[in-house]
């Protein structure tokens, strides 16, 4: 390359004019001729090995997982176990749904809510279930009863409630 072409070159990233004999932009450090052969390191510091970089990331991910697990343990400790029991069942006044009364007992040391589902066996032998119902808040070492109405269970037998 001649001298006039060298001065006319500009950095494709920041449009800074290239210095004579320069292979890297002085402003943004972008190499002019493809990827740099050697990593730009003007202070001559020792470069970290790839293993060091990956180990640092792995340690950070492990620490984050442990921190999230500890936070979840703090937030949820003492809430369970919640147990559900079918107390009563009857048809609604218009015979369009089976109304079940469920008792949820909290044996934990903090209040919580339970997800309950009522299941039964239809006359054709298939297992049918209600939608998932969320119980009212159950205090620590207390019980609460609530009703769940399910139109899919009108003709069912062997009805039971499961709560978690």
């Amino acid at each position: 390359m001649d001298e006039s072409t060298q001065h006319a070159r500009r950095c494709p990233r920041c449009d800074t004019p290239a210095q004579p004999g320069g292979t890297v932009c002085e402003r943004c450090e972008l190499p002019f001729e493809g990827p740099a052969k050697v990593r730009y390191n003007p202070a001559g510091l020792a470069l970290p090995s790839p293993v060091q970089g990956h180990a640092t990331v792995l340690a950070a991910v492990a620490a984050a997982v442990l921190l999230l697990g500890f936070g979840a343990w703090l937030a949820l400790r003492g809430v369970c176990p919640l147990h559900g029991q079918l107390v009563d069942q009857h048809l609604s006044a218009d015979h369009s749904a089976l109304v079940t009364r469920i008792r949820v007992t909290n044996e934990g040391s903090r209040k919580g809510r339970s997800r309950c589902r009522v299941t039964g066996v239809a006359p054709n032998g298939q297992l049918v279930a209600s939608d998932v119902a969320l119980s009212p808040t159950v205090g620590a070492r207390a019980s609460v009863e609530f009703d769940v109405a399910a139109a899919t269970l009108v003709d069912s037998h062997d009805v039971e409630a499961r709560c978690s």
Side-chain angles (χ1 to χ4, degrees):
M1 259 191 259
D2 63 348
E3 203 66 30
S4 63
T5 311
Q6 185 73 17
H7 288 295
R9 282 190 2 191
R10 294 181 122 8
C11 175
R13 183 186 293 162
C14 65
D15 202 36
T16 302
Q19 294 297 320
T23 58
V24 176
C25 175
E26 288 186 359
R27 184 171 182 206
C28 70
E29 300 178 358
L30 178 73
F32 291 128
E33 304 293 331
K37 308 289 185 282
V38 177
R39 186 171 180 181
Y40 182 68
N41 187 1
L45 300 173
L47 298 174
S49 75
V51 173
Q52 274 181 304
H54 289 97
T56 303
V57 170
L58 179 65
V61 168
V65 168
L66 287 174
L67 188 63
L68 285 172
F70 182 71
W73 176 77
L74 281 178
L76 299 176
R77 67 186 166 117
V79 173
C80 290
L82 294 163
H83 297 287
Q85 177 184 6
L86 185 66
V87 177
D88 184 32
Q89 65 185 29
H90 61 276
L91 288 175
S92 62
D94 60 356
H95 297 283
S96 64
L98 180 69
V99 179
T100 56
R101 178 163 286 270
I102 301 172
R103 178 183 300 128
V104 177
T105 304
N106 182 0
E107 296 176 1
S109 59
R110 292 176 48 192
K111 65 183 180 179
R113 297 177 81 179
S114 180
R115 296 170 18 131
C116 297
R117 174 173 275 174
V118 180
T119 60
V121 179
N124 64 1
Q126 287 187 324
L127 184 66
V128 290
S130 69
D131 291 333
V132 174
L134 191 61
S135 75
T137 301
V138 185
R141 295 179 181 79
S143 295
V144 67
E145 291 186 3
F146 68 103
D147 291 336
V148 174
T152 57
L153 297 169
V154 172
D155 297 331
S156 299
H157 58 90
D158 296 334
V159 177
E160 61 181 36
R162 294 182 188 262
C163 299
S164 59

